[in-house]
Amino acid sequence: MAEHAMYFADDSALRKYKIKRVVINVLLYTFLTIFALFMLLPFILMLVGSMTNADSFSTFESTANFAELGFKNWTFSNFEQIFSGKITNQLTGQTENTTSFAQFYLNTIISAVGSTAVTVVTAVLAAFAFARLEFKGKNILFASLLATMMIPGELMVITNYQTTIAIGWRNTFAALIFVHGVSVFYVFYLRQTFQQIPNELYLAAKVDGVGDVGYLWKVMIPIAMPTITTIIILSLMGAWNSYVWPMLVTSDKYKYNQDYDMRLVSTGLMELFNQQAGGYSAIKIAGSMVVTFPLFVVFIIFRKYIMRGVSRSGIKG
Amino acid sequence: MAEKTLKLPSEVYAEIKDKPLIGKRRRVQLPQWAVAWLVLLPALVFLALFMFYPIINCFFMAFIRDFQYVDSGGTFALSNFFRAFSDPCLQPFEGAIHCTKRLGKYFMAFGFNNFQTVLSNGLFLQSILNTAILVIVEVPLTIIISLLIATFLNNIKALKGLYQTIFFLPYVTNSIALGLVFSILFSNTSGGIMNYIITRLGGQPVNFLGDIAGLPYKMADGTIVELPAASKFNQGIVIVVNSVWNGLAFKILVFMAGLATIDKQYTDAARIDGAKSFTIWRRITLPLLSPQILYITITSFIGAFKMYTGVISVYGQGAYYFGGINKTDWMPVVGWIYLQMSNESQYKGINLGVPAAGSLVLLAIIMLITAVQFGVSKKRVHY
């Protein structure tokens, strides 16, 4: 507040201003704290519920006795059940065999890494062509790519689903990796970064006898690395959280590919909730926790990249 | 006169461009257009197969009368169509139905009958209405709250980073996991936090998730009351809360980025002139933020009209459960499209032209919204 002192006629005006400032600050922080708690509420439930003994949590649900929650005697048994694939049914008391979440993790990691690799490679190459090279039809092609960004993905899903069945990709990683292997948005985003690289560098490289691809590899990619990192992280996050497409192409585990459960974390989680109608809530919450947690770790490590990338590129998750 | 000692690379390049390289083996250099198409090839292959073809095919399916996709494998939808065109009786499943229906005659005709089917389908019209209601409630609410939070965040110093991180958390949360946690928060058990708060404040328990009426609910004092029947309104609250929660992070971040670009000189100048904080916000901050507001409004209207996981995740009973006894209480447009194309309805012989036509209607709605908003923005947005 000291820097504003010069604006005020006398001390009483300054004091008035200071009091007003304090009141405003209290209001601001109160509002923000209330909303922050609203934001954190699901996470608090996730944390407490998943660490509470499944029976205790059921008791809590029917009695609203908060002492039942696992503040004192917390347990990992819910996670054990999820990862061992042996879940106790609340109604029958029997142990039911399901797919372990470790399997879903593995599937999701494979498909996320695969699709991110394909996305990044195709986006870098295409953005290079659009930003740096001259060829006939460049503008028309780029405009038509941009136009497709307007079209809702649901329109393409219908045919893509049929294509996937027709070429035998149902329940394969290929369907999860290649069908959304190119993101027009990332091409567009990367092209903007590439265009900011001065032309003189390209010509200097040419003088030194470096070819187009050599220039891309040795100059453009290192310069655009922050953008590429952002694309990698956002693409991984998108693949981890995707639900609709994996649900369509991997849900038929009984008809196709019986030995191997191809489902991803989101679809597996939905199944956990869906099939276990009489199941323990604590186990379901633990499932949510298990699905959410890895991305939290990624977020904490790459917070700057993610927030900067999202605000600059304006990507809707 | 100073002599120019250094040449720009462009000048050097222009000089040596056509000369043979000295002392270096000349590599075969492809012309630039060839390199361009070569590096574009991987992206174009995928785009052609999984984007351009599906778009064309969607229009194709929507405008063909009685298009039947047959799940016989081995071919693409388009070639499948041509096979159906040449001899529908060859097809093992729907083909047989077709032949009996039409006595072996099959004709190809373009027309609007798929659109007729879609637009006369009560469920589809209901899904459009559902989506419209959710969009109209959710989008303005989210934008106003996120605008407030962003403005407030911009005005504090201490703990700013912490609050920013908390408000960004929903962005990295799996929406299915989140919806399921919300369904437990809103559950009709005594431990459902929302009902706990309502009953503690003296209210009656609310059936938020469309459960059967009459289930026992144990109040805090031990008396047991019957759960009232589920209403669409109560279920809508959960869906809206879930979507607002999910949508805030992105909008706050964009607004924060917009606020950071506003030059402090404008607001300082106004403050020296004696303007009140609210006036400054209303007359300076808001107009300068209008490009971001327009951007957010358009993207969130489009995004909200494609709402799907936000609804199913709250119920957590599979991909085609949208609440209520009929499972269709809050069915969104996208949900209707997926339901139509799912195996379940395909085997009943519903043709794929119907969901294709439905998705084109969705496209039309989205384009209409975007056009209207751009029209309005011409007057209101300051660049």
Side-chain angles (χ1 to χ4, degrees), chain B residues 160-173:
Chain B
K160 190 174 172 181
L162 177 71
Y163 280 111
Q164 245 179 322
T165 309
I166 290 174
F167 288 125
F168 192 71
L169 281 180
Y171 192 84
V172 293
T173 314

Side-chain angles (χ1 to χ4, degrees), chain B residues 39-68:
Chain B
V39 295
L40 273 175
L41 194 68
L44 286 184
V45 167
F46 287 122
L47 287 177
L49 204 56
F50 298 120
M51 196 146 148
F52 292 122
Y53 163 65
I55 292 170
I56 296 164
N57 199 42
C58 182
F59 278 90
F60 194 69
M61 286 189 293
F63 284 102
I64 296 268
R65 293 178 76 104
D66 300 329
F67 171 80
Q68 298 265 350

Side-chain angles (χ1 to χ4, degrees), chain B residues 73-90:
Chain B
T75 46
F76 290 91
L78 201 65
S79 66
N80 211 312
F81 165 76
F82 285 116
R83 202 169 52 171
F85 172 56
S86 58
D87 189 358
C89 300
L90 279 180

Side-chain angles (χ1 to χ4, degrees), chain A residues 88-103:
Chain A
T88 315
N89 187 312
Q90 189 180 8
L91 294 180
T92 60
Q94 305 270 313
T95 306
E96 290 178 0
N97 283 322
T98 58
T99 310
S100 157
F101 261 71
Q103 174 82 61

